[in-house]
Amino acid sequence: MAFRLNGVGLAYANGFDALKGITLQAAQGERIALIGPSGAGKTSLLSVLGTAWAPTVGTAEILDAGDRPRSAAALARLRARIGTIHQSPPIPGRQRAVTAVLAGRLGRWPAWKSLASLIYPLDIPGAGAALDRVDLADKLFARCDQLSGGQLQRVGIARVLYQQPDLILADEPVSALDPALALATIRLLIADAEARGATLVASLHAVDLAIGNFSRIVGVKAGRIAFDLPAGEVGIPLLHELYAGEGGELPVQAHEPHFLSQAAANDAATRAACC
Amino acid sequence: MLLNPSARDPAARSRLIAALTVPVVLWPLFRAAEVEPGALFDPDNLKVIGHFLAAFLPPESGAEFLGYLARATLETLAIATAGMVLAFLLAVPLAYLATGAGREQPTLNPLTRSLLTVLRGIPELVWALLFVRVFGLGPAAGVLALGLTYGGMLAKVYAEILESVDAAPARVLRHNGAGRPLAMLYGLLPLASKELASYTVYRWECAIRASVVMGFVGAGGLGQLMDQAMKMLNGGEAATILLTFMLLVFSADGLSGWLRRSLDRPPANRPSPFGGRSAFFGLALLAGAVASFKYRDIDLASLWRLEAVNSIGTFVADFFPPDLSADWLDKVARGVWETLAISVVGTLLAAVAGMLLALPRRWMPFTVLLNTLRSVPELVWATMTVLAVGLGPFAGALALALHTAGVLGRLYAEALANAPPAAGCALRLAGAPGSPAFCYGTLPGAAPQLVAYTLYRWEMNIRMAAILGFVGAGGLGQLLYVELSLFHQARASTVIVAMLLLSIAVDQASAWLRRKMH
């Protein structure tokens, strides 16, 4: 089992209920896409899975660690097995790409090794290999404030590839990338998870990317799970219902409507023409 | 791109060179500052400082002494306020002349700028020491000294603030035919006024700290009492005076914080931008200034009487030409090196201590410790460190380190709190323990700010290091104090020129280092 959420609710300090009664579980090695309108609770759901927030109601068992690890050390051990790709890459501008990638293993390295690595990077081949997989091998020693937004996002992905976590969480990992690169990156994440038997949960803005690449689709709306189906069973009406209130349009990758029905593709084209 | 498995870090070579150069540069400086941690534990020194500190309790609270203390405190406040008024009157026209703001063609105005450099480059205590010799003991010397130095600092910063705001509104007004002063009033002042006011208030706070030490050269105020207490090794009196310092500095802190916050409030809906609060504040300011000048009659007009002008003239003439004989220059050069060493060692020790104190922030005892270190001026610390480690530059470096650790600790804590939190949080969520998460996530975001603060502080400390010798803590100050006491004006003027050049050189070096760090 990768995780088991049981009746999870999450209320923020300002009283806003971000999640309500979420029950969801996944076997190790599953690949799940979260879709839903913005503000639906996708990021909150990923935060609970990533142990950033403890649920205010219900239980969350992550990676066989049980509900709520007992000690800070146990929590740190659990977190070292979870890799998160953030919406905006949390990397200091003055850090070099090599250091930013190596930071992925801080949870497993002893402290002396982490500190020594600041003086001379201790695993240059490892960081180079991870960056090579996102086509940035030539930026190994570049400072992150010299990279473009898309390149920086890929450094963040390389960090998680280098971390080799059992559970990969991705919060809109490709929203800063162009469509072709976005597709390649999603496929890379899936291939990596598949090869290592890791679980992948990604929230995606573009429904075509989700349905075309993931086996299981979870629709989230207003803090609840709207549907939880194999990709093949997610039809256009269901999607329109999920995104109702967003102007009747489905968010897709702008120029690559590969596999949505012709009607939906036309929809997107009309909208593109209007804007 | 194919990955070369034997890839080496291209930054390694320059890091290695830096790691080798830094000790090579620092070692002679530590030697020159006579750093000897052992001196702290020398039995004789321990006995002296132990006796002195033991006498701190109970603090002196006799009615007669408290009377002196109250008078000295008022005098200190009067010196600070009157000095600031003078500085402001000096700074406004100088800033107007020096700044490139509101000009159609940018000019550098080398004349005013170099005048400002001279005013700022000579520490206020040196000015005070000179003025005491012309006008005699008393607060007038302190007021003039503060007025000149702070006038120079205010003018420079005013000029820079005016240059840093958006120039377009003023330029458009000038193209429409407005003169430069009006274009600045209507086009620049609305943008810059908050920063100008905020900096002025901050400087007033500094002036209180500065006027506290004026007494060490006989220019009145609390410093004079402190000087006497230290010469008598009277711990009880010293304790009471130190408590008064802290009270004064904390209230100035609080008042200036309140003033700066009230600058943020939006204006009321009425024709005049000035309301009851501004009127009250303006009147209080005016009354404070008048009272300050009246108190212990700081009569600056008397300076312009004929005999005063004559005595100033002869006094100044004695300083020229400076003594440039080889063996005196040799002595001054050694003093310059020692002063540089004190400033570098003091700043480095302070940076390390400040960082250690800044890390466990939100922990009450550390905040109190930082504020205490900060509220006692360097020169006062020096009177105590010379007891702890004996006369010499090491005492000076320690005194600088103690005060600066308080200042830097507070600035570091703020910079770390304001650093973007996302990077460190993400690493902790990936299971990184506290210190690696801090080093990889938080520190890189805050580092430029930390380095800039440290270098700015070094620029201030070089000026401070130049005067710590007044109480026997090494450097150029010791030479200056001795030569002026012996009426060797020509030799003293060499020392003053050396101080000026040293502070200019350090400003340049620090600006260069800051550019390199980017």
Side-chain angles (χ1 to χ4, degrees):
Chain A
M1 181 209 67
F3 60 82
R4 183 187 295 140
L5 304 184
N6 199 357
V8 161
L10 180 66
Y12 286 124
N14 60 12
F16 174 69
D17 281 321
L19 298 176
K20 290 165 233 165
I22 300 263
T23 297
L24 187 70
Q25 56 174 309
Q28 186 64 30
E30 271 198 84
R31 292 177 296 283
I32 304 173
L34 299 179
I35 59 173
S38 56
K42 301 189 295 282
T43 301
S44 300
L45 182 52
L46 287 171
S47 307
V48 169
L49 290 175
T51 73
W53 293 98
T56 35
V57 186
T59 59
E61 294 168 57
I62 318 284
L63 289 177
D64 314 313
D67 183 35
R68 296 177 199 218
R70 275 187 197 84
S71 64
L75 182 62
R77 272 198 302 280
L78 168 62
R79 284 176 167 180
R81 297 168 61 199
I82 306 172
T84 308
I85 298 165
H86 297 262
Q87 216 163 347
S88 57
I91 294 173
R94 298 176 56 82
Q95 201 161 54
R96 295 187 303 165
V98 59
T99 315
V101 172
L102 292 183
R105 291 224 183 136
L106 292 183
R108 279 193 274 157
W109 281 0
W112 66 264
K113 190 173 178 186
S114 307
L115 298 181
S117 185
L118 281 173
I119 297 166
Y120 188 89
L122 288 185
D123 188 9
I124 295 175
L131 281 170
D132 194 28
R133 293 174 71 182
V134 294
D135 283 331
L136 284 177
D138 54 329
K139 300 293 186 194
L140 182 58
F141 296 114
R143 241 170 63 171
C144 288
D145 51 8
Q146 293 161 345
L147 303 180
S148 70
Q151 287 174 329
L152 193 60
Q153 179 66 351
R154 278 142 67 203
V155 172
I157 291 168
R159 172 190 277 186
V160 171
L161 293 179
Y162 181 71
Q163 187 187 350
Q164 301 194 335
D166 298 327
L167 172 60
I168 304 176
L169 304 173
D171 190 2
E172 307 244 357
V174 293
S175 51
L177 306 182
D178 67 70
L181 200 52
L183 184 63
T185 306
I186 289 294
R187 287 187 176 152
L188 170 68
L189 282 175
I190 288 173
D192 180 69
E194 209 161 22
R196 295 188 298 105
T199 311
L200 171 65
V201 184
S203 75
L204 289 172
H205 179 68
V207 289
D208 49 350
L209 261 187
I211 295 173
N213 296 287
F214 287 78
S215 50
R216 181 175 166 194
I217 310 291
V218 173
V220 184
K221 191 171 186 181
R224 295 177 188 280
I225 292 183
F227 58 80
D228 177 0
L229 294 169
E233 295 173 29
V234 179
I236 299 294
L238 199 58
L239 290 173
H240 273 296
E241 196 181 322
L242 183 67
Y243 286 96
E246 296 258 299
E249 307 289 347
L250 293 182
V252 292
Q253 290 276 77
H255 305 292
E256 293 190 36
H258 307 288
F259 28 72
L260 284 181
S261 73
Q262 200 52 45
N266 282 345
D267 245 351
T270 326
R271 189 178 52 159
C274 291
C275 295
Chain B
M1 187 186 118
L2 267 180
L3 194 71
N4 176 4
S6 64
R8 289 222 194 112
D9 187 350
R13 176 199 282 269
S14 56
R15 283 184 185 185
L16 187 67
I17 292 173
L20 293 177
T21 334
V22 167
V24 170
V25 173
L26 286 185
W27 175 247
L29 284 170
F30 270 74
R31 286 293 299 274
E34 293 171 21
V35 177
E36 248 185 282
L40 277 169
F41 305 102
D42 180 78
D44 289 340
N45 287 338
L46 276 181
K47 210 151 98 192
V48 176
I49 188 81
H51 273 298
F52 176 69
L53 290 180
F56 264 41
L57 290 175
E60 173 68 51
S61 56
E64 195 192 353
F65 177 71
L66 288 187
Y68 284 132
L69 189 71
R71 268 222 302 281
T73 309
L74 275 181
E75 197 167 279
T76 294
L77 281 174
I79 294 175
T81 312
M84 270 311 278
V85 171
L86 196 63
F88 184 75
L89 295 178
L90 206 63
V92 171
L94 283 177
Y96 177 77
L97 288 175
T99 186
R103 292 184 199 274
E104 304 227 39
Q105 262 118 38
T107 43
L108 274 176
N109 200 347
L111 213 68
T112 324
R113 295 230 160 194
S114 41
L115 174 63
L116 292 184
T117 311
V118 172
L119 288 178
R120 282 182 302 122
I122 299 179
E124 62 262 27
L125 219 55
V126 173
W127 285 118
L129 190 63
L130 297 178
F131 289 138
V132 161
R133 264 143 236 274
V134 187
F135 310 122
L137 298 175
V143 170
L144 264 184
L146 264 188
L148 287 186
T149 337
Y150 278 52
M153 289 186 198
L154 283 179
K156 177 184 178 246
V157 176
Y158 285 173
E160 279 173 2
I161 291 175
L162 287 173
E163 281 165 16
S164 70
V165 299
D166 183 12
R171 199 172 47 231
V172 169
L173 287 174
R174 290 216 66 180
H175 287 318
N176 290 348
R180 182 166 177 244
L182 280 178
M184 286 174 78
L185 277 178
Y186 275 78
L188 286 180
L189 217 55
L191 297 167
S193 61
K194 196 195 139 196
E195 213 177 329
L196 291 174
S198 163
Y199 186 77
T200 312
V201 172
Y202 163 73
R203 265 294 145 195
W204 172 73
E205 195 191 314
C206 298
I208 290 199
R209 255 186 297 252
S211 59
V212 156
V213 298
M214 287 296 175
F216 281 90
V217 295
L222 276 172
Q224 213 144 342
L225 273 190
M226 185 72 189
D227 197 27
Q228 284 158 14
M230 294 304 298
K231 280 184 180 143
M232 311 286 207
L233 286 183
N234 189 331
E237 286 186 7
T240 312
I241 300 170
L242 281 178
L243 286 176
T244 317
F245 275 169
M246 289 178 203
L247 205 68
L248 209 56
V249 171
F250 289 153
S251 359
D253 235 15
L255 185 60
S256 97
W258 176 77
L259 279 174
R260 272 180 277 178
R261 272 195 305 281
S262 63
L263 287 172
D264 277 332
R265 270 175 246 175
N269 184 19
R270 58 167 170 259
S272 162
F274 304 108
R277 199 174 47 229
S278 320
F280 169 76
F281 180 69
L283 283 176
L285 201 66
L286 196 67
V290 171
S292 299
F293 278 104
K294 286 270 180 241
Y295 187 77
R296 295 276 313 258
D297 36 65
I298 305 171
D299 184 8
L300 293 179
S302 70
L303 301 180
W304 304 114
R305 280 201 218 103
L306 194 60
E307 63 263 49
V309 171
N310 266 337
S311 77
I312 296 172
T314 42
F315 181 70
V316 170
D318 282 345
F319 279 88
F320 295 97
D323 183 352
L324 296 177
S325 62
D327 56 328
W328 182 242
L329 278 184
D330 181 52
K331 242 185 174 164
V332 171
R334 258 181 284 152
V336 165
W337 180 241
E338 199 171 278
T339 306
L340 187 67
I342 293 173
S343 75
V344 171
V345 171
T347 310
L348 276 181
L349 291 180
V352 174
M355 199 64 203
L356 290 178
L357 290 173
L359 288 180
R361 71 196 125 96
R362 287 190 292 272
W363 206 21
M364 254 317 261
F366 281 93
T367 321
V368 172
L369 178 60
L370 283 177
N371 282 335
T372 310
L373 288 173
R374 196 166 56 88
S375 68
V376 178
E378 298 90 334
L379 204 68
V380 178
W381 278 123
T383 59
M384 287 182 269
T385 53
V386 293
L387 290 182
V389 299
L391 296 172
F394 184 39
L398 274 185
L400 270 192
L402 283 169
H403 176 81
T404 312
V407 178
L408 282 182
R410 184 182 170 193
L411 292 174
Y412 287 172
E414 275 170 20
L416 289 175
N418 294 337
C425 282
L427 289 173
R428 270 189 290 279
L429 278 180
S435 56
F438 174 78
C439 291
Y440 279 77
T442 312
L443 202 53
Q449 192 80 47
L450 299 183
V451 171
Y453 280 145
T454 315
L455 287 173
Y456 277 128
R457 212 49 224 184
W458 180 42
E459 288 174 34
M460 295 202 185
N461 280 349
I462 189 71
R463 293 172 169 81
M464 216 18 104
I467 56 166
L468 288 175
F470 289 8
V471 295
L476 283 172
Q478 212 150 337
L479 288 182
L480 184 67
Y481 200 72
V482 171
E483 297 308 321
L484 276 180
S485 310
L486 299 172
F487 297 100
H488 291 162
Q489 269 88 334
R491 291 185 157 196
S493 89
T494 321
V495 179
I496 294 176
V497 171
M499 282 180 180
L500 191 58
L501 294 179
L502 184 60
S503 71
I504 294 171
V506 165
D507 282 2
Q508 300 294 329
S510 149
W512 178 79
L513 277 173
R514 261 180 283 140
R515 274 199 307 276
K516 282 285 276 191
M517 296 283 168
H518 270 285

